[in-house]
């Protein structure tokens, strides 16, 4: 294995570190922000308590007793009690992090104490920062513990507790994740102890990293189930280490492995990876995990559902990772939905019981109360249910099922089968209804309802994710919406990673307003601009419904989740229970009794306000200009679409005409006649007349549309 390409002057490429500000800012909101607090003048404390409930988080030790942790409510208090380094304080102030969420209050002390635990918290409650900040604090301490350096550290007293005051000592190395310090006693004798790294309080600045040798040896590994989440956690780590030499590397599939391995070879303190790509790196010999101090399983329930269990075991066993029993590795499991089976599996994976942290009030499928749930009835109308074609399965008013064969006037002939007996019978169209809702007419009705929702006044300035269950549904919805709305992007597992990243980035940078995606965008992605989530199709399990809704209402903000239901979903009752558990009401029709009819009532109206075709009466000049620009963009898109269709039709006619010419020429060669030449010329002229006529019609239609 060759070293990575060097930088300028044949030196290893080093990370560009921004200089720290001259004076470290306090992690307190400035006065102008205190004057302009959202949520009716109420601060983060109120927002968090409103979103995540008034229930106190539960921290249960391995013996079943309650475990107490230091009480902190702000990042200023956490920075003092947990001894955050200056680079972390500056990064937190730069990103305006002031108030701790419940999961951050509970888990950050446990991480620095080296305890193994499983944490369950609401979606969007800051779990990523909860594990990255303590890990970066620990890694910075470990990077400064260079053998031979003189440090100030607390020592272990005879009682086993930490000494009251630190003394000088010399670093001898790191053993099983603990700092080996040689203290010089007053008698002149040297005494060595293994102490936790956070007992070392005075350390020199970290030295420059040595030249690249051998495989990378990260100190922390974060495992995530999806590529998008890997990129996001890596970006979060990069934002927190902008003032530090600590390096983070992301490894995920469907992307250039050469560039990822090059980044890994330049040095990695934190590796954020999907299980498959990390196993590949281990097999290639470019990474060792024998120095790992922290192991994080983010969205652990999803990784178990996807069948990553064997790969996770391989990472721990074959990577040479120190075991938790030896005190050499701290392991944590994170997710919003951790059923008891996954909790038992995580404890079996550790080989011992671990601390249980519950910040959801004991709920299995928690949804923040700041997310408003809006339910839309998308059962097809009575008329749509009777738009069937030959071959569709139908049911009569009396409950008899059969196959529609063909129509005769206002009647349909239906074939009924009863064992070996086949009966053909004529029925009025009004006596029949569709059995299955997977028809073009039903699908068109559902798409029209989605278009009505997105065109309503509530969605006028919204950024939306439309979730579908399958890739073909995503493509169908995307193709339908892009003809009616601007700024529509798509994301599903069949796309390349670069295309998926561009779609997510377009939403984050507000270059697009609507993202149509499968459940790969439902886990862990933090997009603060998302105001609405639309469940076009419900998922197969209620856990995914919780994570979908969690894409909005992040960090205690307000959000809206719109769910389109027809009463035939497998998780219909579970979704109803989840919404009721969040303290919200559901409409009367959203029940088993209310959904007995297979069609939508005629008097039903969607719970959204229609917008009139034009700017508001009190709109500013800039808003009016923006409206006119959107109209012009839409007309240009329609005109371009008409021209494309016309070009395709003209090309098809030319191909047909050329085929006719070849046929005439073959006949001429066989018969030897000369009269066919004039007929060929007449056909050519007819084709040219048809082409010109088609283009004139298309241009006229485009002109009328403009």
């Amino acid at each position: 294995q060759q070293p990575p390409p060097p930088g300028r002057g044949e030196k290893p490429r080093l990370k560009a570190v921004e200089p720290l500000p001259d004076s470290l800012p306090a992690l307190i909101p400035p006065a102008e922000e205190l004057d302009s607090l959202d949520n009716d003048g109420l601060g983060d404390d109120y927002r968090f308590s409103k979103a995540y409930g008034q229930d106190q988080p539960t921290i249960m030790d391995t013996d079943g007793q309650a475990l107490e942790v230091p009480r902190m409510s702000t990042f200023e208090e956490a920075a003092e009690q947990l001894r955050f380094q200056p680079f972390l304080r500056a990064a937190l102030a730069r990103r305006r992090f002031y108030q701790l969420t419940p999961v951050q209050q509970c888990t950050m002390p446990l991480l620095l104490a080296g305890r193994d635990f499983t944490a369950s918290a609401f979606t969007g409650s800051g779990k990523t920062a909860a594990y990255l900040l303590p890990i970066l604090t620990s890694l910075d301490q470990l990077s400064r513990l260079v053998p031979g350096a003189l440090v100030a550290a607390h020592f272990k007293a005879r009682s086993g507790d930490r000494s009251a005051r630190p003394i000088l000592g010399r670093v001898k190395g790191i053993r099983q994740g603990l700092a080996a310090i040689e203290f010089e006693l007053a008698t002149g004798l040297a005494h060595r102890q293994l102490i936790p790294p956070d007992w070392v309080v005075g350390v020199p600045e970290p030295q420059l990293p040595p030249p690249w040798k051998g495989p990378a040896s990260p100190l922390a590994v974060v495992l995530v189930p999806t590529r998008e989440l890997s990129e996001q956690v890596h970006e979060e780590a990069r934002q927190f280490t902008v003032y530090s030499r600590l390096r983070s590397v992301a490894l995920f599939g469907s992307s250039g492995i050469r560039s990822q391995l090059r980044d890994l070879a330049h040095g990695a303190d934190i590796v954020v990876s999907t299980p498959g790509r990390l196993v590949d790196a281990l097999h290639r010999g470019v990474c060792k995990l024998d120095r790992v101090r922290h192991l994080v399983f983010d969205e652990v329930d999803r990784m178990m559902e996807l069948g990553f269990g064997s790969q996770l075991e391989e990472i721990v066993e074959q990577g040479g990772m120190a075991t938790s029993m030896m005190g050499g590795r701290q392991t944590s499991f994170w997710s919003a939905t951790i059923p008891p089976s996954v909790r038992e599996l995580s404890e079996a994976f550790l080989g011992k019981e671990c601390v249980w942290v519950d910040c959801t009030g004991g709920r299995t499928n928690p949804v923040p109360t700041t997310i408003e749930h809006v339910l839309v009835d998308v059962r097809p109308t009575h008329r749509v249910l009777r738009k069937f074609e030959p071959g569709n399965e139908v049911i009569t008013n009396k409950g008899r099922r059969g196959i529609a064969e063909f129509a005769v006037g206002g009647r349909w002939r239906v074939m009924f089968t009863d064992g070996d007996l086949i009966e053909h019978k004529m029925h009025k169209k009004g006596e029949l209804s569709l059995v299955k809702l997977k028809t073009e007419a039903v699908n068109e009705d559902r798409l029209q309802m989605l278009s009505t929702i997105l065109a309503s006044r509530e969605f006028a300035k919204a950024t939306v994710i439309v979730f579908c269950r399958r890739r073909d549904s995503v493509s169908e919805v995307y193709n339908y919406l892009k003809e009616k709305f601007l700024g529509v992007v798509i994301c599903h597992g069949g796309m390349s990673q670069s295309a998926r990243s561009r779609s997510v980035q377009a939403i984050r940078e507000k270059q697009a307003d609507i993202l149509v995606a499968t459940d790969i965008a439902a886990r862990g992605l933090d997009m603060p601009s998302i105001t609405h989530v639309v469940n076009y199709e419900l998922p197969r399990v209620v856990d995914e419904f919780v994570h979908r809704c969690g894409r909005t209402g992040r960090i205690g903000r307000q959000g809206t989740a719109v769910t389109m239901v027809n009463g035939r979903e497998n998780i219909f009752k579970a979704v109803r229970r989840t919404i009721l558990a969040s303290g919200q009401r559901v409409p009367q029709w959203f029940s088993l009794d209310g959904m007995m009819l297979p069609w939508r009532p005629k008097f039903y109206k969607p719970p959204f306000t229609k917008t009139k075709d034009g700017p508001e009466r009190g709109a500013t000049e800039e808003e009016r200009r923006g409206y006119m620009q959107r109209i012009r963009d839409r007309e240009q898109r329609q005109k371009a679409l008409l021209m494309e269709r016309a070009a395709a039709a003209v090309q098809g006619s030319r191909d047909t005409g050329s085929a006719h010419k070849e046929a005439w020429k073959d006949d001429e060669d066989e018969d030897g006649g000369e009269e066919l030449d004039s007929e060929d010329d007449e056909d050519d002229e007819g084709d040219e007349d048809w082409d010109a006529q088609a283009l004139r019609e298309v241009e006229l239609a485009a002109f009328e549309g403009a």
Side-chain angles (χ1 to χ4, degrees):
Q1 185 177 341
Q2 299 297 323
R8 294 182 180 180
E10 296 297 320
K11 296 181 180 180
R13 296 181 180 178
L14 302 179
K15 176 184 174 182
V17 180
E18 294 188 17
L20 283 170
D22 296 334
S23 60
L24 290 178
L27 299 177
I28 301 175
E32 56 270 16
E33 289 194 16
L34 291 174
D35 295 337
S36 60
L37 287 173
D38 55 351
N39 294 310
D40 301 327
L42 299 172
D44 289 342
D45 243 346
Y46 174 79
R47 284 198 293 125
F48 295 158
S49 63
K50 182 180 178 182
Y52 310 129
Q54 300 288 343
D55 298 332
Q56 291 294 329
T58 301
I59 308 177
M60 186 183 298
D61 207 342
T62 55
D63 57 359
Q65 301 296 321
L67 182 64
E68 294 293 333
V69 296
R71 291 295 178 182
M72 303 170 291
S73 59
T74 64
F75 276 100
E76 181 67 28
E77 296 176 2
E80 294 178 0
Q81 294 190 29
L82 304 181
R83 294 189 291 277
F84 284 174
Q85 299 297 331
F87 78 91
L88 270 184
R89 295 181 65 100
L92 290 171
R94 180 178 183 175
R95 301 190 63 186
R96 301 178 182 273
F97 280 30
Y98 304 122
Q99 197 77 21
L100 290 171
T101 62
V103 66
Q104 293 167 352
Q105 298 176 25
C106 297
T107 57
M108 287 167 57
L110 292 176
L111 264 166
L112 286 176
R115 299 297 301 270
D116 297 334
F117 62 87
T118 301
S120 175
F122 289 92
T123 58
S125 58
K127 293 188 289 294
T128 304
Y131 62 73
L132 279 181
L133 293 175
I135 287 176
L136 292 173
T137 301
S138 175
L139 296 192
D140 183 75
Q141 295 170 347
L142 292 174
S143 66
R144 296 167 184 266
L145 296 178
V146 182
L150 192 65
V151 298
H154 294 273
F155 59 91
K156 187 181 298 184
R158 291 184 178 180
S159 61
D161 300 330
R162 193 174 78 164
S163 62
R165 294 181 180 180
I167 61 174
L168 290 179
R170 195 168 297 278
V171 178
K172 290 300 181 180
I174 299 176
R175 301 288 186 274
Q176 300 176 4
L178 301 176
I181 308 296
E182 185 179 79
F183 297 100
E184 185 174 350
L185 304 180
T187 59
L189 299 177
H191 180 64
R192 291 185 181 182
Q193 284 188 350
L194 290 175
I195 61 175
D198 59 335
W199 287 19
V200 182
V201 293
V203 292
E205 288 295 320
Q207 299 179 356
L208 294 179
W212 183 86
K213 292 181 180 179
S217 298
L219 299 174
V221 173
V222 180
L223 295 173
V224 295
T226 63
R227 307 161 192 167
E228 287 76 18
L229 187 53
S230 174
E231 284 185 307
Q232 177 177 295
V233 174
H234 164 65
E235 179 62 23
E236 288 287 315
R238 195 187 66 81
Q239 291 290 337
F240 285 132
T241 58
V242 67
Y243 299 110
S244 170
R245 292 192 181 278
L246 295 175
R247 290 177 61 97
S248 172
V249 174
L251 302 178
F252 49 87
S254 294
S255 184
I257 190 172
R258 184 184 297 272
S259 61
Q260 294 180 6
L261 295 181
R262 186 185 300 119
D263 293 340
L264 192 64
H266 290 160
D269 299 291
I270 302 177
V271 170
V272 185
S273 176
T274 55
R277 184 51 66 94
L278 185 57
V279 169
D280 186 28
L282 293 176
H283 291 173
R284 292 172 181 262
V286 297
C287 183
K288 290 194 311 182
L289 304 180
D290 55 341
R291 296 182 59 207
V292 169
R293 168 73 175 168
H294 298 278
L295 178 62
V296 176
F297 295 91
D298 201 355
E299 303 292 349
V300 59
D301 61 326
R302 184 59 175 168
M303 284 194 286
M304 297 300 185
E305 290 173 4
L306 294 176
F308 287 141
S310 59
Q311 292 179 332
L312 298 180
E313 292 180 4
E314 183 177 359
I315 289 172
V316 174
E317 294 176 359
Q318 297 190 10
M321 197 178 298
T323 62
S324 300
M325 303 295 290
M326 298 170 58
R329 183 189 80 229
Q330 186 273 332
T331 309
S332 57
F333 301 85
W334 305 75
S335 184
T337 53
I338 300 184
S341 58
V342 175
R343 182 180 172 185
E344 295 172 1
L345 190 61
S346 63
E347 293 178 354
F349 182 79
L350 285 175
K352 63 176 182 178
E353 292 185 356
C354 61
V355 178
W356 169 250
V357 180
D358 181 18
C359 300
T360 64
R363 281 175 279 180
T364 305
N365 299 301
V367 179
T369 56
T370 51
I371 299 177
E372 179 187 3
H373 291 272
V374 180
L375 298 159
V376 180
D377 188 357
V378 291
R379 288 176 293 179
T381 60
H382 196 267
R383 181 175 298 179
V384 171
L385 273 178
R386 289 174 179 171
K387 286 184 179 179
F388 35 78
E389 300 175 353
N392 290 151
E393 187 178 0
V394 296
I395 185 171
T396 66
N397 293 341
K398 296 182 179 181
R400 194 177 183 188
R401 297 193 179 192
I403 305 296
E405 294 184 310
F406 55 84
V408 180
R411 294 172 173 267
W412 275 78
R413 193 174 93 156
V414 183
M415 180 181 68
F416 300 99
T417 58
D418 185 7
D420 296 335
L421 180 63
I422 298 177
E423 180 184 0
H424 301 275
K425 193 175 181 179
M426 300 298 296
H427 280 274
K428 293 180 180 180
K429 189 175 181 180
E431 299 175 353
L432 303 174
S433 298
L434 286 170
V435 174
K436 296 183 179 179
L437 301 184
K438 296 181 181 179
T439 63
E440 293 184 5
V442 174
N443 197 30
E444 182 69 21
D445 181 73
R446 195 182 187 100
L447 289 171
Q448 289 177 0
M449 180 65 76
L450 175 62
S451 177
T452 302
I453 294 172
L454 297 179
S456 63
R457 181 173 298 177
E458 289 80 0
F459 283 77
K461 298 181 180 180
T463 306
V464 191
I465 300 182
V466 180
F467 281 109
C468 303
R469 189 187 306 131
R470 302 179 305 276
R471 297 179 188 176
D472 55 347
S473 300
V474 168
S475 301
E476 186 177 12
V477 172
Y478 169 72
N479 292 330
Y480 180 85
L481 293 181
K482 73 177 182 180
E483 305 296 339
K484 297 182 177 294
F485 301 93
L486 298 175
V488 182
V489 292
I490 185 174
C491 180
H492 60 74
M495 301 168 57
S496 64
Q497 183 59 37
S498 58
R500 288 158 57 174
S501 299
R502 284 195 300 268
S503 297
V504 174
Q505 194 66 22
I507 291 291
R508 283 186 173 142
E509 297 177 356
K510 298 185 179 180
Q511 298 176 357
D513 299 324
I514 302 174
L515 172 64
V516 186
T518 55
D519 286 338
I520 63 171
R523 289 275 182 166
L525 290 186
D526 185 18
M527 292 177 277
S529 61
I530 297 298
T531 58
H532 292 69
V533 167
V534 178
N535 292 299
Y536 179 77
E537 294 175 329
L538 282 179
R540 300 187 184 279
V541 293
V542 71
D543 290 357
E544 294 303 320
F545 172 78
V546 172
H547 286 278
R548 284 182 179 185
C549 297
R551 295 315 98 206
T552 185
R554 309 287 292 178
I555 308 296
R557 300 185 183 95
Q558 297 291 329
T560 303
V562 180
T563 304
M564 304 171 66
V565 294
N566 60 12
R568 300 195 178 191
E569 296 87 355
N570 294 332
I571 62 170
F572 176 83
K573 293 189 291 184
V575 168
R576 188 175 187 273
R577 287 195 300 268
T578 301
I579 297 176
L580 290 174
S582 64
Q584 300 192 29
R585 296 181 179 180
V586 297
Q588 188 175 2
W589 58 265
F590 187 61
S591 62
L592 293 179
D593 294 335
M595 304 291 281
M596 288 295 291
L597 285 177
W599 57 79
R600 187 168 67 242
K602 188 177 182 179
F603 55 82
Y604 175 79
K605 293 183 179 179
F608 297 100
T609 307
K610 290 185 178 180
T611 55
K612 63 179 183 179
D613 192 10
E616 297 292 336
R617 179 176 298 179
T620 62
E621 185 65 24
E622 183 179 356
E623 291 175 345
R624 293 179 183 274
R625 289 178 181 174
Y627 173 77
M628 296 304 297
Q629 184 62 38
R630 290 194 298 271
I631 294 297
R632 284 192 289 268
D633 292 342
R634 184 175 63 185
E635 290 173 350
Q636 289 178 0
R637 288 171 60 89
Q638 292 175 349
K639 184 177 180 180
L641 181 62
L642 286 173
M643 296 301 294
E644 289 178 3
R645 292 175 179 173
V650 170
Q651 184 63 34
S653 66
R654 287 176 177 171
D655 295 342
T656 305
S658 61
H660 284 312
K661 291 177 189 178
E662 294 178 359
W664 281 111
K665 289 180 180 180
D666 293 340
D667 293 340
E668 179 185 350
D669 293 338
E670 294 177 1
D671 299 338
E674 298 179 357
E675 297 179 356
L676 296 178
D677 293 340
S678 61
E679 296 178 3
D680 282 337
D681 295 338
E682 292 175 2
D683 289 342
D684 293 340
E685 292 174 1
D687 291 338
E688 292 175 359
D689 293 341
W690 190 92
D691 295 347
Q693 180 67 19
L695 287 175
R696 280 196 295 272
E697 291 178 358
V698 171
E699 290 175 356
L700 179 60
F703 176 76
E704 292 176 351

